[in-house]
Amino acid sequence: QQQVKQSPQSLIVQKGGISIINCAYENTAFDYFPWYQQFPGKGPALLIAIRPDVSEKKEGRFTISFNKSAKQFSLHIMDSQPGDSATYFCAARGSTPLVFGKGTRLSVIA
Amino acid sequence: GAVVSQHPSWVICKSGTSVKIECRSLDFQATTMFWYRQFPKQSLMLMATSNEGSKATYEQGVEKDKFLINHASLTLSTLTVTSAHPEDSSFYICSARYSRSTDTQYFGPGTRLTVL
């Protein structure tokens, strides 16, 4: 049973463009929503995370937008660079361990 | 940020043998460690959660007698794949959290297991 639905599966963005990845959840007990970046053959690295008491959080080129009523959150990567090409996972947790989305493979082309 | 290491980074073994993977939190004490499995181009699937000094909690469908987890200290957890078979070939990733009240989970670099 997938508790966090992530889309799109893959994404191609031009260098300098904005990459947008969306996630939706159903469990209202979730209260922590991180995004992880994973390069091939490496473990996931925490990018940015948000709690439901705020609607947006920005760290450098990465922004999380959170819509509590819609139970959706998204990652925006501004000024996307070829080095951002990786797989991105959204996740969520409440009292249970982190649950991951299926991942989005991002390719940033010059 | 906090650092989690894994050893070995890759291992090849024969079918029927056992393999041990170590996970260490290098600069913090991890009260909770998690073991994940990831197949190519797929998401991370939680195998088990372990708290220091207590038995691991396994996710549904994960054989606890096949995947032995030991969290003997606040900086070390081990996963032993017993009687490995080719279908156990996967990318195994550990994660650590330094207290139950902390949200952040730090991930190790992963261990690629290939069973021949």
Side-chain angles (χ1 to χ4, degrees), chain B residues 11-13 19 21 81 84 88-92 111-115:
Chain B
V11 57
I12 301 173
C13 70
V19 173
I21 301 169
V81 182
D88 298 324
S89 299
S90 189
F91 194 49
Y92 292 88
T111 296
R112 172 75 58 195
L113 169 63
T114 301
V115 184

Side-chain angles (χ1 to χ4, degrees), chain A residues 24-67:
Chain A
Y25 64 98
E26 295 181 358
N27 189 342
T28 54
F30 288 152
D31 61 1
Y32 173 69
F33 304 88
W35 284 90
Y36 285 87
Q37 178 190 57
Q38 186 179 32
F39 292 104
K42 305 293 184 183
L46 179 66
L47 263 181
I48 187 172
I50 198 168
R51 282 190 160 271
D53 52 348
V54 296
S55 59
E56 186 175 282
K57 183 175 181 180
K58 184 176 180 179
E59 289 184 1
R61 296 185 294 111
F62 301 96
T63 300
I64 297 180
S65 296
F66 187 84
N67 186 329

Side-chain angles (χ1 to χ4, degrees), chain B residues 23-91:
Chain B
C23 175
R24 294 182 184 271
S25 55
L26 297 185
D27 51 1
F28 67 102
Q29 294 185 325
T31 53
T32 306
M33 285 186 167
F34 307 87
W35 286 94
Y36 292 82
R37 184 173 181 176
Q38 186 178 35
F39 290 107
K41 299 184 181 180
Q42 293 191 22
S43 189
L44 288 82
M45 297 299 296
L46 180 65
M47 300 174 66
T49 302
S50 73
N51 292 301
E52 185 265 340
S54 59
K55 289 184 178 180
T57 301
Y58 290 82
E59 294 298 300
Q60 193 172 12
V62 178
E63 299 175 60
K64 62 180 180 180
D65 294 330
K66 180 169 185 62
F67 299 99
L68 302 179
I69 291 172
N70 186 296
H71 190 169
S73 78
L74 286 171
T75 59
L76 173 65
S77 176
T78 60
L79 167 68
T80 301
V81 182
T82 62
S83 186
H85 288 95
E87 58 265 30
D88 298 324
S89 299
S90 189
F91 194 49

